[in-house]
Structures are given as C-alpha cells and as structure tokens.
Amino acid sequence: MIGLCALMVGEAVWSMRNDLIPTVSHHAVVVLSAVVMVLVGELVRVHMPSGRVLAPISSAVGFTLVSLGAVQGSASFDVRPGVVILCYATGQVLAAALRREVDTTGGAAARLLSVGILVHLIRGVDVAGRTLWEWQLVSSTPRWVVAAALVCGASTALVIERLLTAMHRAHTLRTSTATALRDEFEEAPTVTFAGAAPGPIATLIAPVAGVLALPLALIPLVITMISVRRYAEVWRTLRQTIQTLSRLTEAGGYTPPDHAHRTAQLGRAMAQRMGLGEREVTALEYAALLHDLGQVVLADPIPGGATVLAAPADQRMIASTGATIIRHGPDFAAVADLVEAQAVQYRSILEHEARAPLASRILRVANAFDDLTGGIQEPATVSRALERIHLGLGYDYDPEIVAVLEATVAHGPIPLPDGGPRGLGGSRRSTD
C-alpha cells in the first residue's frame, strides 16, 4: 500500500507541477486549515482495545476536502484532485514527523488511498457532462440529493479504507481477508461510519459558515470519539485484571516465568492462522493467560508447572478449579468455559461427543508445546516437543490443530509480549 501511495502522490505532484503554487496560494486559507486539521486528526487518534489505531478525524477532513465547494469569504474550492491528495499527504507527513515514527501498520496508507480514490470519483468522473462535484454547485439540484450522494461517497471511501486495512492485517497476521474484514467492522462500527457525516455537513454549511464549517462539522464525531475512548478505558481496566491474575501462579512458584504469556502468544498465532475472529482470538488469549490458575490449590506443585505431564484426572481438576475462580470475574464466563474445556482429550470428542470448542483445543496444543519446550526455541528442542505431541495425535490432540502448530512454529520464534495481555482482540502494538 505504501508503494501505491507513493505512486499516487507522485502522480499528483506531476499533474500539478505547473500550477500547484498558484492554486494553493489562491485557496491558502482552506488549504492551510485542512492541513492543520489532518495533522491534528492524525495525532488525536483512537486507540481501540484490540490495538487498532483509528484516525476518524483525519479521514473525515479528507472526505470534506473532496466534496468542499462554495466557501463563504473564500473562493470556491474548485481544484484538481491532485491538490486534495497533496494537502492530505502533507498533513500525514507532518504528523509522522511530530510523532517521530513512521506508521508501518498500513492505517495511514489506507486513509490516503481511500481519499485519493474518492477524490477521483467525485472530482474526476463525468456524469451527464459534469463531475459529481460540479453537480452539487448547480442550484437546481435538491440539497437532500447532494447530501445523500456525499454520504454515500464518504461511506464508500470508509469501506475501501477498512478493506485496505483488512488486507494489510490479513497479510501481517497470516489470516484470511474475510476474517480480517469482519473484525474491522465488528469492533468499532460507530466511530468508523461516524466519519461519513462531517464531509457532507461541512460542504452544505460552508457557503454560510466559511472555513469554520470544517471544525463545526466535526463536533458530533468528536463526541463519538470521547464515548469510544471511555469504552476503551473499561477494557484497559479488564486488561489490568487479566495481567494481575496471569502472574499469580508465577509468583507462587507453580509455573515458570512467562509460560502463560508464551502460550497466549502461540495460541493467538495459531488461531489467526485458522481464521478465528478477533473476539474468539481474544477469549483464547485470555484463557491461555489464565489456564494454569487452578494450580494454586495444589498442595504439591507439578514439577515445572507442566500440566501436560499430569494425569488426565489432575488436568481436569486443575482446569475445573481455574474455571471456577475465573467465573467470579466480570464477564469472564466465556473465558472460564475455554479454560475448563482445555482438559478434554480429543478422543473424548470423537468417542463420547464431549464438548470442547476449537479455541480450547488450540489452547491444549499450545500449552503442551510450551510445557515441553519450556520456552526454549532451539530447533532440537522444538523437534523433540513436536515428536512428543505426535505421540498423542488423535488421542490427546486434534490432528488439524497440531498441523497448524507445526506451520506456525516453522515461521520462527513467536515473540514474547513486553508487558501484559492484549485488549479486545489485538496487540499492544498499534495496528490500524
């Protein structure tokens, strides 16, 4: 996507090489205001519990630039598509410079591409002899038609933005695009599609309010962002609770340091490879962080905390006890069910129709692998662990999941997180 952005910006610069400066100076107030607001929008982002970083203000300002026409006190914003693209890209570059980091998650690139696609559709495609942008200036065009058309255009651009982001995440996380796209719209549809409204609002009131139309139109979106931030705070509190509980068995000497976190990382990577959605992956990750909690009732700790070496009855007791403890937490029922079902052997599913969700079966395999390797990721140790797991293939472990384990570890070591579990279905590292 970054390459496409570079090509688009390069094409914009080339197309405007002769009249860029005169055009910008003619619309200096609007251009400067837009660049500043894109800059602010890229800095004031929404960090979702999953780790996604959204910039709805930035997207909304870009869509406003695309559709903006008559402006009270200024010349009508009649510019070529390249000017809009360059204004938006300038704001993004300035924001990256102030943050002193380059966005490698694809979010900024997706926003720029969606703005570029929309501006070419609105200002570059002729419909009955006029572009869609020119039709809005015709006084005989009903205002509700203009508003509806602009909302549809902005919504289409938002869908494109989320699709591009999903494609990038699917490539990064090695999951399906369909799964990644579903997750994009599942977590925060409100703040995502709230960005479709400011553009039409600003375009319709700019003939009266002038440049002030841009910040005024963003007020409903800002209020929505405040609500989403509060929602994210609740999940951060939940994350702290999970973090505290996940360290309990380590502090008591029941399990080795970082065993739960390694298991969670491996389980997440396997689940993403199998196409599980964000919510399912998050529940699995939380269950992995808490899967050994039942060991705190043991009078004699298991050597090395390796439940894979314990008798099946002891495994079921530990899982059941841990699930009972977890159910006392807020909204932890789904996590507790996964923890309890991790002790179900695969043969019980086939022969006795025992219930064990896919996430629990993944957790069982991931836990066994880390118990057997102890976090050592040398090829010889990994090979011995896989051989040991293969001895229980079809009896203790689901063969399909074991195959996914092999494919996952074949890509190299799973990085250990640097402090606590993720939020609702994502990583601590920002991923748009």
Side-chain angles (χ1 to χ4, degrees):
M1 284 197 298
I2 295 177
L4 289 175
C5 287
L7 287 174
M8 186 173 65
V9 173
E11 188 275 335
V13 172
W14 179 256
S15 66
M16 298 293 299
R17 64 188 183 280
N18 295 323
D19 54 357
L20 177 60
I21 294 178
T23 300
V24 171
S25 60
H26 188 59
H27 301 282
V29 175
V30 175
V31 168
L32 180 60
S33 300
V35 170
V36 170
M37 294 183 67
V38 171
L39 168 64
V40 172
E42 290 287 333
L43 294 176
V44 184
R45 300 178 294 177
V46 179
H47 293 258
M48 300 303 296
S50 67
R52 284 184 179 85
V53 180
L54 305 178
I57 290 179
S58 174
S59 297
V61 174
F63 302 154
T64 301
L65 274 179
V66 170
S67 60
L68 192 63
V71 180
Q72 174 67 29
S74 301
S76 178
F77 198 58
D78 184 6
V79 297
R80 290 157 63 181
V83 173
V84 175
I85 293 172
L86 291 176
C87 286
Y88 193 79
T90 300
Q92 288 188 314
V93 170
L94 291 175
L98 289 178
R99 290 198 307 266
R100 296 182 180 180
E101 64 179 13
V102 177
D103 185 354
T104 59
T105 64
R111 289 190 289 275
L112 178 56
L113 285 172
S114 64
V115 169
I117 292 171
L118 182 62
V119 72
H120 280 95
L121 290 175
I122 297 296
R123 292 181 181 258
V125 177
D126 283 349
V127 178
R130 290 190 177 97
T131 64
L132 295 176
W133 179 84
E134 290 170 339
W135 273 109
Q136 71 164 317
L137 301 180
V138 178
S139 59
S140 60
T141 305
R143 295 296 90 185
W144 70 267
V145 173
V146 173
L150 294 179
V151 169
C152 289
S155 298
T156 300
L158 284 169
V159 171
I160 293 172
E161 178 185 327
R162 299 268 59 86
L163 175 60
L164 293 172
T165 305
M167 292 171 63
H168 184 273
R169 286 178 62 84
H171 174 73
T172 303
L173 302 176
R174 301 192 187 101
T175 188
S176 69
T177 302
T179 299
L181 184 60
R182 180 189 65 194
D183 294 335
E184 286 296 320
F185 290 104
E186 188 176 67
E187 184 176 43
T190 302
V191 73
T192 296
F193 285 102
I201 293 174
T203 300
L204 293 176
I205 68 175
V208 176
V211 178
L212 287 177
L214 276 71
L216 289 175
L218 291 172
I219 292 176
L221 179 58
V222 172
I223 295 173
T224 302
M225 287 177 59
I226 293 173
S227 299
V228 173
R229 285 178 181 271
R230 290 180 178 176
Y231 157 80
E233 284 294 333
V234 172
W235 280 101
R236 272 191 281 273
T237 302
L238 174 63
R239 184 170 65 236
Q240 293 171 357
T241 303
I242 296 287
Q243 168 68 8
T244 302
L245 290 174
S246 70
R247 297 293 185 184
L248 186 59
T249 53
E250 295 179 16
Y254 291 93
T255 58
D258 290 324
H259 163 67
H261 285 75
R262 290 193 302 269
T263 302
Q265 286 292 90
L266 178 57
R268 162 172 283 275
M270 293 168 61
Q272 288 170 336
R273 184 176 289 273
M274 297 188 74
L276 271 67
E278 288 280 9
R279 292 185 181 275
E280 296 168 292
V281 172
T282 299
L284 166 60
E285 187 174 16
Y286 284 176
L289 289 165
L290 303 176
H291 75 280
D292 278 327
L293 197 57
Q295 292 198 42
V296 297
V297 301
L298 296 177
D300 298 315
I302 299 172
T307 52
V308 70
L309 303 178
D314 291 335
Q315 293 182 19
R316 289 192 292 271
M317 183 274 293
I318 292 170
S320 177
T321 303
T324 300
I325 296 172
I326 294 169
R327 286 193 177 95
H328 286 86
D331 301 322
F332 283 0
V335 175
D337 291 341
L338 295 182
V339 170
E340 188 167 23
Q342 70 170 317
V344 176
Q345 295 173 305
Y346 184 63
R347 72 174 183 88
S348 297
I349 300 173
L350 298 179
E351 298 175 5
H352 306 295
E353 298 183 352
R355 180 184 175 277
L358 178 59
S360 291
R361 284 177 273 153
I362 294 174
L363 172 56
R364 182 175 178 83
V365 172
N367 173 62
F369 179 80
D370 195 77
D371 277 346
L372 294 170
T373 60
I376 299 173
Q377 300 185 5
E378 296 176 353
T381 303
V382 171
S383 179
R384 285 194 296 269
L386 292 176
E387 289 178 2
R388 172 64 178 80
I389 290 175
H390 270 277
L391 293 176
L393 201 64
Y395 187 88
D396 277 323
Y397 311 112
D398 186 332
E400 180 185 0
I401 295 175
V402 173
V404 172
L405 168 67
E406 293 176 316
T408 302
V409 299
H411 278 82
I414 305 297
L416 183 67
D418 53 6
R422 292 176 174 85
L424 182 60
S427 65
R428 280 169 306 283
R429 185 172 296 179
S430 296
T431 52
D432 269 34

